[in-house]
Amino acid sequence: MLAVFLILAGATALFVSDRVRLDVVALLVVLALALTGVLTPQQALAGFADPLVVMIAGLFVVGFAIVNTGLASAVGHALGRLAGDSEPRMMAAVMLATGLLSAFMSSTGTVAVMLPIATAMAWRAKVSPSKLLLPAAFAALVGGMLTLIATPPNLVVSGALEGVGRAPFGFFAFTPLGVAMLLVTVLYMVFLGRRLLPAAAPATPGVGAGEADLVEVAERYGLPVRLGRLTLGAASPLVGDTLRGLRWPERLGVLVLSIDTEPAAVRAGLRSRRRLGRSKRLGPDTRLSAGDRLLLQGSREALEAVAGLAEAPLEEVGALGDDLVPANLGFAEVLLTPRSSWIGNSLATLRFRERFGVQVVALQRGGERLLDGSGANRLAETRLRFGDTLLVQGPLAAIDRLDAERLDAVVLSETGGERPAPKRRRAPVAVAVLAAMLVSMSAGWLAPVVAVLVAVLALVLTGCLTAEEAYRSVQWQSVVLIAGMLPLATALESTGGVRLLADAAVAAFGGSGFLVLLAGTYVVTAGLGQVMSNTATAVLMAPVALSAAELVGVRPEGVLMMVALASASSFCTPMSTPVNTLVVGPGQYRFMDFVRVGLPLQVLMGVVGLVLVPWLFPA
């Protein structure tokens, strides 16, 4: 028992220090338990075969399928329309949706479903997902108090009540307390908790790999950085002209970044809705039409000159304005590799535009920059060398094809619109598989881990994702963390450590009245819940709570409800519950983030519970 407590203290110290990765700490715990002889090697490694760990890995795959088929983006768009770009409103919308969903399925499954949705929603609003994922995890935990089947601890305490000859808790017996707890949690996170949250995860996809915004790229290449937009009317003199004939880069130093359709032109009947939000394929022979909306880059004087030629008002736009770049258009920096077959050839010889479907806007060679505006022929006829970096512009699909040319060039960074989901045509299949998984889990037709594995297999077989994508989608840090910490709970129980703590709590709080007993039950249960699963905590504490209630001479319903509440309030550590563990990797959270945000909420839940439980379940 002493060895287990020392291992627990050492692991906690490493978690708090943030000097060692969480998954590495979990592996150290496994080794320590085996080397000290507290557990056999088979017992120490048993966490990796635990159904809960397998289920978590499977839920990561399910979450990736939700993204891959576009479901996450669709639901994120719907929530985004309700919440707008306001961080507090987004947080409230995500938390309420997560809490309500967790009332009818496991909190772990709920977070796995909501994780990609919240991430897509955050990226669309240019907000770090770290601001939404931890609130979603907390909402899923508290949402487990809404119904009897929402979380295993509820079933545990109900079974314990029935085991002593009393009526078990009904399906909605938890609902009044759960609704209050969910509302309190949402209000806390919106008004206080969000100020304590980090912004660790990047606010846009790919930023960590070097994604840059349009102005940053323009400044790096010495391009004009002022942006303007104008819409060609039906009477514009430019209607019918081609970009080759206009020669704006050579004559005025103005680059045409995109040509899409103005929504007002669609409403006026000038253009079809087919072009809304999507740019034409740009090239010398691109012809201008009535209703075209041109995104231009150049100096103020040059942009005003183009607006005068077009006889259209010039609209100045910011670099990060909404709907700036059409959804299908992107910009990328491409570096030639040492053994590239492009070396020694010119863009014209390579037929670069025809081959890859993109146009080269500029070329960076050491400290020298060659711009399309300084002479198209000069840039097109320049022979490429190793180390040249090309700034290219084109459809996102074309940039993806260019990214596959790894032997010739490497895409260093890119910026542009949001890519469509690769398997969006499989979205109805994914919806059906997801619904079947949730129904089977809620109705108890299949064990949760079996339901998840069946869903994973169905998603792969129906083409919602490939087997390789399934393996890559698993957040292995989270899987190793929970698998490594589960044996510690086993060691605490087998050596009598948990029973020692529980008996001490009964001795301290059992004879001091109903409120003190409730408070003590909450403190001990919540404390244990930080180092072991909430289900195991409820299993261990339910008989202790029954004994304490009998000793004090009060009805056990309130004490057991406090056990359930404390089991659902594991906010302070990432390894306390799989729900918290799921968001560690995607949110790039540290141990102290959970303590800083979760500890005040933990105390608040206890205070609210001490007010409501005696009223709902009097002694």
Side-chain angles (χ1 to χ4, degrees), residues 530-579:
Q530 306 309 318
V531 296
M532 56 193 307
S533 75
N534 54 1
T535 303
T537 303
V539 169
L540 292 169
M541 285 302 299
V544 175
L546 285 171
S547 300
E550 183 180 359
L551 176 64
V552 179
V554 297
R555 298 173 62 190
E557 284 82 359
V559 186
L560 287 171
M561 188 60 68
M562 211 65 176
V563 170
L565 172 61
S567 298
S569 304
S570 301
F571 304 126
C572 295
T573 64
M575 70 284 190
S576 60
T577 169
V579 173

Side-chain angles (χ1 to χ4, degrees), residues 244-615:
R244 186 197 304 275
L246 293 172
R247 300 180 66 247
W248 284 343
E250 295 86 350
R251 293 169 47 209
L252 302 172
V254 171
L255 297 178
V256 180
L257 299 181
S258 68
I259 303 176
D260 64 345
T261 298
E262 167 64 42
V266 174
R267 292 192 293 270
L270 292 176
R271 296 298 303 276
S272 164
R273 292 181 59 86
R274 185 170 62 89
R275 287 293 179 188
L276 274 178
R278 302 187 67 79
S279 177
K280 288 182 177 180
R281 182 167 180 171
L282 298 183
D285 298 322
T286 301
R287 194 171 299 276
L288 302 182
S289 306
D292 279 350
R293 182 171 60 175
L294 282 66
L295 179 63
L296 308 172
Q297 190 174 43
S299 66
R300 177 189 295 273
E301 296 75 13
L303 293 180
E304 290 175 348
V306 170
L309 294 173
E311 297 183 3
L314 179 67
E315 172 196 359
E316 290 197 13
V317 293
L320 300 178
D322 292 337
D323 194 30
L324 176 62
V325 180
N328 66 321
L329 192 65
F331 299 83
E333 293 176 285
V334 182
L335 174 69
L336 270 66
T337 62
R339 286 182 280 182
S340 174
S341 63
W342 301 354
I343 295 174
N345 294 303
S346 67
L347 297 174
T349 303
L350 293 171
R351 300 180 67 248
F352 202 86
R353 189 198 308 271
E354 294 80 2
R355 182 177 173 186
F356 298 110
V358 297
Q359 61 178 343
V360 178
V361 179
L363 184 150
Q364 176 81 39
R365 176 177 292 166
E368 181 187 5
R369 299 183 183 91
L370 302 180
L371 306 180
D372 209 20
S374 62
N377 290 333
R378 181 185 174 192
L379 183 57
E381 298 300 331
T382 300
R383 292 188 180 275
L384 301 177
R385 302 176 188 172
F386 163 60
D388 283 352
T389 303
L390 307 177
L391 178 63
V392 304
Q393 171 196 36
L396 295 174
I399 292 177
D400 287 339
R401 289 194 299 271
L402 195 60
D403 193 30
E405 301 289 326
R406 296 298 176 88
L407 294 178
D408 292 319
V410 176
V411 175
L412 298 178
S413 66
E414 59 181 284
T415 185
E418 179 182 347
R419 281 171 166 74
K423 301 290 185 180
R424 56 189 180 279
R425 294 183 179 179
R426 296 288 180 180
V429 176
V431 170
V433 172
L434 183 62
M437 183 190 79
L438 299 182
V439 170
S440 63
M441 292 174 70
S442 300
W445 297 340
L446 294 174
V449 64
V450 175
V452 172
L453 289 177
V454 169
V456 168
L457 189 60
L459 290 168
V460 172
L461 292 178
T462 55
C464 295
L465 74 168
T466 66
E468 290 76 15
E469 289 172 333
Y471 283 113
R472 289 199 303 268
S473 66
V474 177
Q475 292 276 347
W476 293 107
Q477 180 186 12
S478 300
V479 172
V480 171
L481 174 60
I482 192 66
M485 294 306 296
L486 281 175
L488 184 58
T490 302
L492 280 171
E493 183 179 0
S494 63
T495 59
V498 170
R499 179 61 62 183
L500 176 66
L501 296 175
D503 289 345
V506 172
F509 304 111
S512 305
F514 188 46
L515 274 178
V516 176
L517 176 61
L518 292 180
T521 300
Y522 180 86
V523 169
V524 174
T525 306
L528 290 175
Q530 306 309 318
V531 296
M532 56 193 307
S533 75
N534 54 1
T535 303
T537 303
V539 169
L540 292 169
M541 285 302 299
V544 175
L546 285 171
S547 300
E550 183 180 359
L551 176 64
V552 179
V554 297
R555 298 173 62 190
E557 284 82 359
V559 186
L560 287 171
M561 188 60 68
M562 211 65 176
V563 170
L565 172 61
S567 298
S569 304
S570 301
F571 304 126
C572 295
T573 64
M575 70 284 190
S576 60
T577 169
V579 173
N580 290 354
T581 307
L582 276 172
V583 301
V584 170
Q588 298 184 17
Y589 296 113
R590 295 178 175 271
F591 183 90
M592 288 306 299
D593 294 330
F594 288 84
V595 177
R596 183 171 55 253
V597 182
L599 185 57
L601 182 59
Q602 192 94 53
V603 174
L604 184 60
M605 290 289 101
V607 172
V608 175
L610 289 175
V611 173
L612 293 180
V613 169
W615 177 58

